[in-house]
Amino acid sequence: MHKTLPRLYVITDPTSAQSGAGDVITAVQKSVQAGARFFQFRDKQADLHALLSTGRSLTKIVNAANGIILVNAHADTASSLHCHGVHRPSNGPTIAELRQNLGDTAIIGASTHSLAEALQAEQNGASFITISPIFLTASKPGYGPALNLDSLHHVATSLKIPVYALGGISPENTIDCLKAGAHGIAVMGGIMAAANPANATQRYLGALEAFDAFSH
């Protein structure tokens, strides 16, 4: 499964979606229609009822396209929604706990912000990691200065599991991230806050496809 993870990882954000397409469900629907197949359902403000309600809609949309959807942090919610796994935030449950709750076949992503954290996540059994912030971004102000492409390269070449660049990723710098060794890119505001999430998704996918065409 690891090597076949899609290169574009879309992270939901209700606040961004409200300023873009209007809501997360609409944004994900349009992104799926444009070709995105890998999503993290993330909503840190919702109560359990709202989380399950929105999650059911998103899971249905993504599964209908044979995509992959993970839930941020909550193994019990992922189980209830029959999602493919969980994305572990920096302060979340241990990967061992998530594995115990979800089983060996679950996809478990991990948020990391340094090479040491990335190596630890891989050692602990993560399926893939995000490393952030690669570039300056409004959504990741609390994680220190941008790591930049040299740090991304160091992390990507030190790990065997897929590495996703996160933080300030645009269609214009996507190819630079892949050249640095990232398996893929993780995008939140670039798609969620877009007035046209389908068009934004197509631009990211276009950049990924251009790299694949060039590298072959």
Side-chain angles (χ1 to χ4, degrees):
M1 172 63 80
H2 298 172
K3 293 298 183 186
T4 60
L5 287 176
R7 287 189 185 274
L8 176 62
Y9 184 37
V10 182
I11 303 169
T12 70
D13 178 52
T15 305
S16 296
Q18 285 169 5
S19 66
D23 62 83
V24 163
I25 294 171
T26 301
V28 169
Q29 197 160 30
K30 290 181 180 298
S31 188
V32 167
Q33 289 168 353
R37 292 294 181 268
F38 190 21
F39 292 85
Q40 179 194 148
F41 173 37
R42 178 180 180 275
D43 187 343
K44 296 191 173 183
Q45 308 305 320
D47 60 25
L48 182 59
H49 176 76
L51 208 62
L52 291 173
S53 177
T54 303
R56 276 190 287 269
S57 297
L58 296 183
T59 302
K60 185 176 180 181
I61 292 166
V62 175
N63 284 346
N66 293 317
I68 298 167
I69 184 164
L70 311 181
V71 174
N72 181 269
H74 303 293
D76 50 352
T77 304
S79 295
S80 298
L81 296 172
H82 304 291
C83 289
H84 300 86
V86 165
H87 189 99
R88 178 192 181 273
S90 299
N91 58 352
T94 66
I95 293 170
E97 287 175 303
L98 294 172
R99 281 258 170 254
Q100 188 173 4
N101 289 328
L102 296 171
D104 292 339
T105 60
I107 299 172
I108 298 178
S111 294
T112 69
H113 309 288
S114 67
L115 175 60
E117 287 183 7
L119 288 168
Q120 188 68 54
E122 180 178 61
Q123 186 179 339
N124 290 345
S127 307
F128 71 94
I129 61 120
T130 59
I131 180 77
S132 68
I134 302 303
F135 305 109
L136 289 174
T137 168
S139 65
K140 293 277 183 185
Y143 293 109
L147 296 171
N148 295 319
L149 294 168
D150 286 345
S151 295
L152 173 60
H153 176 72
H154 198 187
V155 171
T157 54
S158 299
L159 271 65
K160 294 182 175 66
I161 59 174
V163 171
Y164 286 78
L166 170 63
I169 310 300
S170 67
E172 291 74 25
N173 62 36
T174 289
I175 288 178
D176 291 333
C177 293
L178 298 183
K179 284 181 178 177
H183 169 77
I185 54 166
V187 179
M188 187 166 69
I191 290 174
M192 285 291 119
N196 188 334
N199 183 54
T201 299
Q202 287 170 345
R203 291 181 65 214
Y204 281 105
L205 290 173
L208 293 166
E209 288 161 10
F211 174 81
D212 287 337
F214 175 78
S215 59
H216 291 114

